[in-house]
Amino acid sequence: MDAYLRLRRSLTDFLEKFSSLATSSPDSFRGSSELERVIDDYSRFILEERNRTEWGQLEPHQAAELSPVADELRETSALCVAMMEKHRAWKLLGGEEDHTEYFDNIEAGIQEEFGRFYLDSDSKVLLVGSGAFPMTPLYIARRTGAEVLGIDIDQDAIELGRKVIARLGGGLRIRLENRFLEQLEGIGEFTHIIFSSTVALKYELLDQLHSLTKANVAVAMRFGNDLKSLFNYPMQETDPRKWQLADVVLHPDQVFDIAYYKKP
């Protein structure tokens, strides 16, 4: 089987699995490992060097043929990750420990990400897309003492996330809110802004933030190009009059990469 057919078959198989999982009731996964297994398999597929190489060698017409499947995969896998975060939160609140390859990979990415950010107890951090298991706010607040606000459009995720913070982050300066950017008060006070990789409109939001934020604000945009775009929304061009790309950090062993932006 040639590379194109093998990739197409793999993508179609994953799409069928994610589509089935995404339309199931979240409650059905409280005692199930199927969701975690599929996401772990998908993470390994995206990080496998052979797959990355073959994806990069696709002919333009082959890439175009796979594009609709890739777009649908990105959306359905993001829905399933959101469900798995809720599953992890339920397990924690029920007294169970939970480790998956996907979450271990994400946590490793968070640790490397903040080697490029200077954060201290005076920093004010905004995370766009905090999810039901807010690993990033917990990591930042524990390590630096910074004040962190996480926002998400999913009210259920916010409610679960608050319970996780209460369990794991008592005394830390973390807030979670079910709000849109334009609803935030004091947005100009944030020193650092982080966008989760599965936020579909993150570059539109970045453009919106230009007029609302201070001159020296630092932005970290999690993204995924090429094969990683099957799991993350890819990097886009920005208006250079508003945002300049300061650095790009590629992590071959992690499911997302990071672009850093600053104002000119």
Side-chain angles (χ1 to χ4, degrees):
M1 183 185 304
D2 67 22
Y4 168 73
L5 292 176
R6 189 181 71 84
L7 287 171
R8 186 177 69 179
R9 177 172 294 183
S10 295
L11 266 57
T12 301
D13 181 55
F14 277 120
L15 181 57
E16 290 176 357
K17 292 176 180 177
F18 279 130
S19 297
S20 176
L21 291 167
T23 55
S24 301
S25 168
D27 289 348
S28 67
F29 292 105
R30 292 193 184 208
S32 171
S33 61
E34 177 66 11
L35 186 63
E36 295 173 357
R37 185 187 65 78
V38 173
I39 290 176
D40 282 348
D41 287 346
Y42 194 51
S43 300
R44 286 193 294 271
F45 173 82
I46 286 173
L47 293 174
E48 186 176 323
E49 185 175 355
R50 175 189 177 187
N51 296 332
R52 294 202 305 264
T53 299
E54 291 181 349
W55 183 268
Q57 293 173 345
L58 290 175
E59 298 292 336
H61 73 279
Q62 294 174 327
E65 289 173 4
L66 291 179
S67 181
V69 179
D71 291 345
E72 194 170 355
L73 257 175
R74 186 187 305 118
E75 294 179 9
T76 54
S77 64
L79 286 173
C80 287
V81 166
M83 292 171 68
M84 188 169 72
E85 289 184 352
K86 292 178 180 179
H87 182 205
R88 188 186 193 191
W90 283 323
K91 291 176 73 173
L92 172 75
L93 298 172
E96 297 181 51
E97 292 291 330
D98 185 47
H99 291 282
T100 69
E101 291 182 34
Y102 171 79
F103 283 126
D104 289 345
N105 187 279
I106 292 295
E107 287 165 359
I110 293 170
Q111 293 175 32
E112 292 195 23
E113 180 175 29
F114 292 101
R116 304 285 177 134
F117 257 4
Y118 177 75
L119 295 169
D120 59 24
S121 59
D122 293 325
S123 300
K124 296 191 67 172
V125 183
L126 171 64
L127 172 63
V128 182
S130 55
F133 203 100
M135 295 179 285
T136 299
L138 283 166
Y139 182 86
I140 293 173
R142 281 175 182 159
R143 291 290 296 268
T144 70
E147 180 180 346
V148 187
L149 171 64
I151 61 173
D152 203 290
I153 61 174
D154 184 341
Q155 179 63 42
D156 291 338
I158 290 295
E159 292 175 1
L160 274 171
R162 287 171 176 166
K163 293 176 181 178
V164 171
I165 295 297
R167 177 70 63 88
L168 299 179
L172 298 177
R173 295 194 295 163
I174 301 173
R175 291 184 298 121
L176 303 178
E177 300 289 345
N178 176 221
R179 293 180 181 273
F180 292 96
L181 281 178
E182 60 268 23
Q183 297 174 317
L184 294 180
E185 297 180 1
I187 195 169
E189 298 175 6
F190 289 104
T191 59
H192 299 78
I193 299 173
I194 304 162
F195 284 91
S196 295
S197 64
T198 53
V199 174
L201 300 178
K202 56 192 176 186
Y203 277 92
E204 288 85 344
L205 297 175
L206 178 64
D207 188 75
Q208 178 183 341
L209 279 169
H210 177 265
S211 62
L212 302 175
T213 52
K214 59 177 60 181
N216 61 345
V217 66
V219 176
M221 182 79 74
R222 297 171 181 171
F223 74 96
N225 287 348
D226 302 319
L227 191 61
K228 288 186 182 182
S229 70
L230 299 178
F231 217 165
N232 311 273
Y233 286 90
M235 182 187 290
Q236 298 179 24
E237 294 292 329
T238 59
D239 183 341
R241 297 169 298 178
K242 295 182 177 181
W243 296 103
Q244 290 183 347
L245 182 62
D247 197 7
V248 176
V249 181
L250 303 179
H251 297 296
D253 298 325
Q254 290 158 15
V255 294
F256 63 78
D257 299 313
I258 307 158
Y260 295 91
Y261 293 94
K262 63 181 182 179
K263 292 185 179 180

